């Protein structure tokens, strides 16, 4: 349930998911077409682009930054949608670009790292994504809201 002054964040999480998926599709098609290795920095740039655009939209429509509850819901929703989009993207990439032989190679490589190592990697990436989303929906949104309010 949302309180009287609290905004539903579902449409903003949807906007983030749409932007993130579109950016991932665009840059991965571009990279695949030109045989470019984007590296992990591109994922951070796509995440930041989608989250800042979503944050801007929230502030522009509501004329304020998200409150603490809204910010936490936005971060969690965007984090979960980012994971879902990444998993879907990897599945599509493996099936389209690598085919069955690539899937076999990847599944044989995965057990090479221990479960603890995978948990550390996943935790570190999740923490970094959380910090980036927190920056977008916290500090960036507050700065933008102050700018909009000072112009009014």
């Amino acid at each position: 349930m949302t309180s009287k002054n609290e905004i539903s964040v579902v449409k903003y999480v949807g906007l983030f998911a749409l932007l993130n998926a579109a950016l991932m599709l665009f840059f991965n098609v571009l990279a695949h077409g030109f045989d470019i290795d984007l590296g992990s920095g591109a994922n951070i740039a796509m995440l930041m682009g989608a989250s800042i655009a979503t944050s801007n939209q929230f502030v522009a429509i509501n004329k304020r930054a998200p409150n603490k509850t809204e910010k936490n819901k936005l971060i969690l929703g965007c984090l979960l949608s980012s994971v879902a989009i990444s998993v879907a993207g990897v599945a599509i990439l493996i099936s389209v670009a690598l085919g069955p032989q690539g899937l076999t190679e990847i599944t044989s490589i995965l057990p090479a790292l221990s479960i603890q190592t995978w948990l550390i990697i996943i935790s570190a990436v999740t923490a970094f994504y959380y910090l980036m989303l927190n920056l977008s929906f916290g500090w960036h949104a507050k700065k933008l809201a102050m700018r909009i309010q000072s112009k009014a």
Side-chain angles (χ1 to χ4, degrees), residues 21-33:
L23 287 169
M24 286 185 101
L25 178 67
F26 174 76
F27 284 107
N28 282 313
V29 166
L30 189 67
H32 187 69

Side-chain angles (χ1 to χ4, degrees), residues 27-73:
F27 284 107
N28 282 313
V29 166
L30 189 67
H32 187 69
F34 289 106
D35 197 26
I36 301 169
D37 181 16
L38 295 178
S40 61
N43 289 333
I44 299 301
M46 290 181 268
L47 177 86
M48 287 303 295
S51 65
I52 287 175
T54 304
S55 176
N56 289 351
Q57 195 68 13
F58 184 98
V59 173
I61 291 171
N62 300 297
K63 307 294 187 234
R64 64 173 179 82
N67 64 33
K68 187 173 182 167
T69 304
E70 293 164 340
K71 182 178 89 167
N72 289 335
K73 288 179 181 178

